[in-house]
Amino acid sequence: MTTLSRAVTPFDPVAAPPEARLAVGHLLTAAHHFAYPEDPPLLPAREATGLTHVTPGEVLRHFVVWDGERALGWASLEYSVTENLHAAHARVVVHPDHRRRGLGRELARAVEGVAREEGRSVVTFGTSSRAPAGEAFARTLNAQPALPMRQSQLDLTEVQDSLLDAWTARPQGEPYRLHLWERVPDEFLARTADMMMVMNTAPRGDLDVEDWTVTPEMIRAWEGMIADSGEVRYLMAAEDTRTGDLAGYTEVFWSPERAALVFQGATAVRPSARGQGLGKWLKAAMLRHVRAHCPGARWVRTNNAEENAAMLGINVALGFQPWASFTEWQVRLA
């Protein structure tokens, strides 16, 4: 790899040599440790592998700023070719030792150029209060905060067994039953895709995006990516035995190499099935599973839209404490 005067250059992770992907992996690891020094460190090789992952029906474009064989900055733009054709999602990362030198602005310009070429009028991205420079950078781009979220964290050692007992106690003649999967069985695949689209009912704030479609092919691709990255994903679903429909689900992500930290993914219940305690049942049953099957797990971290009072209420009752704030921003391109 040759030095390119620290210019922003397109990067194809699939075609690139392993050492180039690993260089970007080291950059992402350094940036994460700078923002979250108390977290278990990311693994550069896994971050490098993740660069090659693309969801079916989507395109992912990458850019890197090189200094010899070192990656000083990286950016990506992800967009669907089947829906939300006006929107794209961006990430921009600069090595902590090379910030305030204009690299972030140059990467942002490269991303904006692709967005315009692809006819995208809205670009979204996220920042965390744990990395306050991100918000300042967002404002230099004339971005608008569109969806404020609370990042919360739960100490698993402080969860009360009596609360889990109460939330998992179900009435006689219960019509729902829980399933737990790492890989969704074929016979549930279409039903799981349909269930996951319940997340379209989650608050979006001022984000200018429309509903998203989840397909069985996407689920299988995501499962492959998760396994490829060395993570474990547990998905728990509530089936209505009267119809066979899946009424709700919750999922968590855990890595044995970063055992202390568990990430809570989506939790959703169909509007027609709400008010029956299914969300509490799913969350409590999953926490019990995590305690039993994720050795070394201490913390569970999750994001909730501030306007999602129902889910915030469940998390607060479980003992989740505010840990940081996360903001989804959007830039409208003229």
Side-chain angles (χ1 to χ4, degrees):
M1 192 186 310
T2 59
T3 302
L4 296 177
S5 303
R6 299 189 178 181
V8 176
T9 59
F11 179 66
D12 182 353
V14 176
E19 58 269 23
R21 288 195 297 272
L22 187 59
V24 179
H26 279 290
L27 161 66
L28 298 177
T29 300
H32 182 274
H33 180 70
F34 183 80
Y36 309 103
E38 71 280 12
D39 277 10
L42 296 179
L43 305 177
R46 287 193 180 174
E47 295 304 299
T49 298
L51 297 171
T52 65
H53 294 160
V54 183
T55 298
E58 295 190 350
V59 175
L60 189 55
R61 302 275 293 273
H62 301 258
F63 297 89
V64 177
V65 176
W66 296 105
D67 181 18
E69 296 184 350
R70 293 187 305 157
L72 304 185
W74 165 84
S76 68
L77 187 74
E78 186 173 15
Y79 51 92
S80 172
V81 295
T82 60
E83 54 192 352
N84 276 292
L85 300 180
H86 67 295
H89 185 76
R91 290 183 64 194
V92 176
V93 177
V94 176
H95 195 284
D97 295 339
H98 297 275
R99 293 176 180 172
R100 303 185 66 83
R101 302 180 188 182
L103 299 185
R105 289 192 297 273
E106 291 301 316
L107 286 162
R109 289 192 188 100
V111 164
E112 179 184 343
V114 173
R116 291 184 181 278
E117 290 172 7
E118 296 298 326
R120 309 290 156 153
S121 58
V122 172
V123 177
T124 64
F125 59 93
T127 65
S128 169
S129 61
R130 293 279 171 153
E135 179 176 339
F137 181 65
R139 297 194 181 280
T140 69
L141 301 175
N142 294 319
Q144 299 299 314
L147 181 62
M149 289 186 280
R150 181 191 304 181
Q151 288 186 302
S152 302
Q153 189 161 272
L154 174 69
D155 185 343
L156 283 169
T157 66
E158 296 184 358
V159 178
Q160 299 299 311
D161 287 329
S162 59
L163 180 64
L164 300 185
D165 289 341
W167 284 13
T168 54
R170 302 299 296 173
Q172 187 174 7
E174 170 65 68
Y176 297 96
R177 64 177 174 183
L178 298 186
H179 298 277
L180 179 70
W181 305 309
E182 291 184 47
R183 176 181 170 86
V184 178
D186 289 342
E187 62 269 27
F188 282 97
L189 192 56
R191 283 179 279 176
T192 300
D194 182 71
M195 175 187 62
M196 285 183 168
M197 286 188 283
V198 176
M199 285 302 296
N200 283 316
T201 66
R204 300 178 193 171
D206 295 325
L207 287 173
D208 182 11
V209 292
E210 301 160 0
D211 286 357
W212 293 97
T213 301
V214 178
T215 67
E217 292 75 20
M218 287 179 177
I219 294 175
R220 285 290 183 249
W222 293 334
E223 289 172 339
M225 295 175 195
I226 292 166
D228 199 30
S229 298
E231 276 193 319
V232 178
R233 189 279 307 270
Y234 293 115
L235 186 150
M236 187 173 287
E239 179 190 5
D240 186 338
T241 60
R242 298 165 295 188
T243 64
D245 293 336
L246 298 181
Y249 79 108
T250 190
E251 60 183 351
V252 298
F253 301 84
W254 176 74
S255 170
E257 289 78 14
R258 306 180 71 230
L261 190 56
V262 179
F263 288 94
Q264 170 72 63
T267 300
V269 176
R270 293 186 187 277
S272 60
R274 292 172 186 170
Q276 303 179 70
L278 295 183
K280 291 180 177 179
W281 185 19
L282 285 162
K283 295 274 283 193
M286 181 63 85
L287 285 178
R288 281 190 161 157
H289 181 79
V290 166
R291 280 177 159 181
H293 297 278
C294 299
R298 172 68 186 274
W299 309 98
V300 181
R301 191 174 299 164
T302 190
N303 289 1
N304 293 111
E306 290 286 1
E307 59 189 275
N308 191 348
M311 190 53 61
L312 276 175
I314 289 176
N315 285 338
V316 169
L318 282 169
F320 278 88
Q321 298 293 323
W323 182 78
S325 60
F326 187 88
T327 304
E328 284 282 350
W329 301 76
Q330 66 184 6
V331 177
R332 296 187 182 275
L333 304 180

